[in-house]
């Protein structure tokens, strides 16, 4: 091939790559705009006092809280608080669909989730909504910036509160290490299901980033403001503390004790 044609081929290849990158960026931008525009339309008609997102580090009693909520729906309803029925099943009554859509950058899935939640709140005339899934914290670094910004969009129309349960870092990290050993292997996170020592696990960025409590809090503060973050220290009374944060009194005898330990 003549020398000048090599340069031409390189130029064409470069142009094609730039064109593809530009198209991909445009698609992503359009998806982000669509999400915000459609979410804004939905929220502009919402008559709500507050939307609460409950999450926390793994092993902080989320499953126990969620199961107790299902048993005590009437108690929440008396305080005009909706626990949306958009859940996987009654064995795991959490709003994991939100996390799944956020991880996939699934705009349609996100819109469907919030449409169903807001429709239920409107039909039943609730003034507050609580959405619960620990995956918001656990997979925060897996979400794109566009997905993260939905909380800021919601907050423009309805006040958003983050109900965040944090565990003492050392005990949390050890519990997470043991859980990662039990989890099935996946392409991501790579640390799942590996026969690694604790020291080897500390070399995995995804694992270690879960200790960045402050970074997670600051991102939400930037979107919602400091007063919107309600921090709860994990203890064996965490379910009672969560209900109290909602303004609901609960007897300890009514708690579904799942994954709650006395370790601090």
């Amino acid at each position: 091939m003549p020398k000048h044609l090599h340069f031409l081929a390189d130029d064409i290849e470069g142009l094609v790559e730039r064109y593809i990158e530009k198209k991909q960026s445009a698609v992503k931008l359009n998806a982000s705009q669509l999400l915000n525009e459609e979410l804004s339309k939905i929220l502009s008609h919402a008559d709500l006092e507050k939307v609460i997102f409950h999450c926390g580090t793994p092993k902080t009693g989320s499953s126990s809280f969620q199961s107790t909520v299902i048993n005590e729906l009437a108690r929440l309803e008396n305080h005009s608080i909706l626990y949306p029925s958009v859940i996987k099943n009654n064995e795991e009554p959490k709003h994991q669909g939100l996390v799944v859509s956020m991880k996939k950058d699934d705009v349609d899935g996100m819109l469907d989730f919030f449409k169903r939640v807001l429709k239920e709140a409107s039909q039943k005339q609730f003034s507050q909504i609580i959405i619960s899934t620990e995956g918001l914290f656990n997979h925060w670094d897996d979400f794109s910036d566009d997905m993260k910004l939905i909380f800021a969009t919601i907050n423009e129309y309805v006040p958003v509160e983050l109900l965040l349960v944090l565990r003492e870092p050392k005990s949390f990290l050890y519990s997470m290490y043991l859980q990662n050993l039990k989890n099935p292997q996946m392409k991501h996170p790579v640390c799942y299901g590996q026969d690694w020592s604790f020291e080897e696990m500390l070399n995995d960025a995804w694992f270690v980033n879960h200790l960045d409590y402050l970074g997670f809090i600051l991102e939400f503060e930037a979107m919602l403001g400091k007063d919107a973050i309600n921090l709860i220290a994990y203890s064996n009374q965490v379910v009672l503390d969560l209900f109290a944060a909602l303004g609901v009194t609960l007897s300890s005898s009514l708690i579904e004790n799942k994954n709650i330990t006395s370790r601090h």
Side-chain angles (χ1 to χ4, degrees):
M1 181 184 293
K3 188 175 181 181
H4 68 278
L5 290 183
H6 280 291
F7 288 114
L8 181 59
D10 290 341
D11 289 342
I12 292 173
E13 185 178 352
L15 285 170
V16 170
E17 288 178 355
R18 288 194 291 275
Y19 175 77
I20 292 173
E21 288 175 2
K22 186 175 181 180
K23 292 294 287 184
Q24 289 175 335
S25 296
V27 169
K28 185 176 181 181
L29 180 60
N30 289 337
S32 174
Q33 289 176 334
L34 175 64
L35 176 60
N36 281 290
E37 289 173 4
E38 292 300 316
L39 197 54
S40 296
K41 289 178 185 177
I42 299 168
L43 290 163
S44 64
H45 301 291
D47 184 19
L48 292 167
E49 294 178 6
K50 187 190 298 183
V51 177
I52 304 164
F53 290 91
H54 159 247
C55 66
T57 59
K59 304 300 181 183
T60 51
S62 296
S63 297
S64 183
F65 171 68
Q66 291 152 1
S67 297
T68 303
V69 164
I70 292 299
N71 291 337
E72 300 298 325
L73 286 176
R75 200 178 294 268
L76 289 181
E77 290 171 2
N78 288 338
H79 289 75
S80 195
I81 301 173
L82 171 68
Y83 190 78
S85 59
V86 188
I87 54 179
K88 184 178 178 182
N89 56 55
N90 286 331
E91 293 299 319
E92 293 185 340
K94 57 186 176 180
H95 301 109
Q96 190 67 9
L98 173 63
V99 172
V100 172
S101 294
M102 290 182 72
K103 286 177 67 178
K104 294 179 178 179
D105 274 346
D106 181 1
V107 173
D108 290 336
M110 290 286 290
L111 291 174
D112 179 66
F113 177 87
F114 283 108
K115 282 179 181 178
R116 292 168 66 186
V117 167
L118 292 170
K119 182 179 180 180
E120 185 178 1
S122 176
Q123 289 177 337
K124 297 179 179 179
Q125 297 183 322
F126 285 97
S127 62
Q128 297 182 53
I129 297 171
I130 178 166
I131 295 169
S132 176
T133 172
E134 70 179 31
L136 280 180
F137 179 91
N138 199 31
H139 293 286
W140 187 249
D141 287 340
D142 299 329
F143 303 147
S144 68
D145 290 340
D146 290 334
M147 289 293 115
K148 291 179 179 181
L149 287 173
I150 64 161
F151 300 99
T153 301
I154 296 171
N155 196 51
E156 290 178 12
Y157 296 89
V158 181
V160 173
E161 177 182 330
L162 178 68
L163 193 54
L164 176 62
V165 182
L166 296 177
R167 186 167 180 158
E168 188 279 318
K170 286 185 179 179
S171 64
F172 159 60
L173 205 59
Y174 184 65
S175 292
M176 188 176 174
Y177 165 69
L178 295 178
Q179 185 61 52
N180 284 357
L181 296 180
K182 298 175 185 177
N183 289 339
Q185 289 189 0
M186 303 173 64
K187 288 184 179 180
H188 180 77
V190 177
C191 58
Y192 276 12
Q194 300 290 348
D195 186 21
W196 289 354
S197 67
F198 187 73
E199 288 73 19
E200 289 172 321
M201 194 73 75
L202 288 174
N203 291 322
D204 183 85
W206 188 88
F207 178 75
V208 174
N209 283 347
H210 282 72
L211 277 182
D212 188 14
Y213 295 174
L214 182 59
F216 182 79
I217 292 168
L218 290 177
E219 283 195 63
F220 267 93
E221 280 190 358
M223 292 188 286
L224 310 178
K226 290 183 178 180
D227 294 340
I229 315 298
N230 191 346
L231 297 177
I232 294 179
Y234 172 74
S235 72
N236 58 359
Q237 298 293 309
V238 67
V239 174
L240 293 178
D241 292 340
L242 285 167
F243 270 86
L246 298 175
V248 179
T249 302
L250 189 69
S251 168
S252 58
S253 63
L254 299 175
I255 295 174
E256 285 286 328
N257 290 303
K258 295 185 177 182
N259 299 329
I260 291 186
T261 69
S262 59
R263 290 189 63 178
H264 291 61

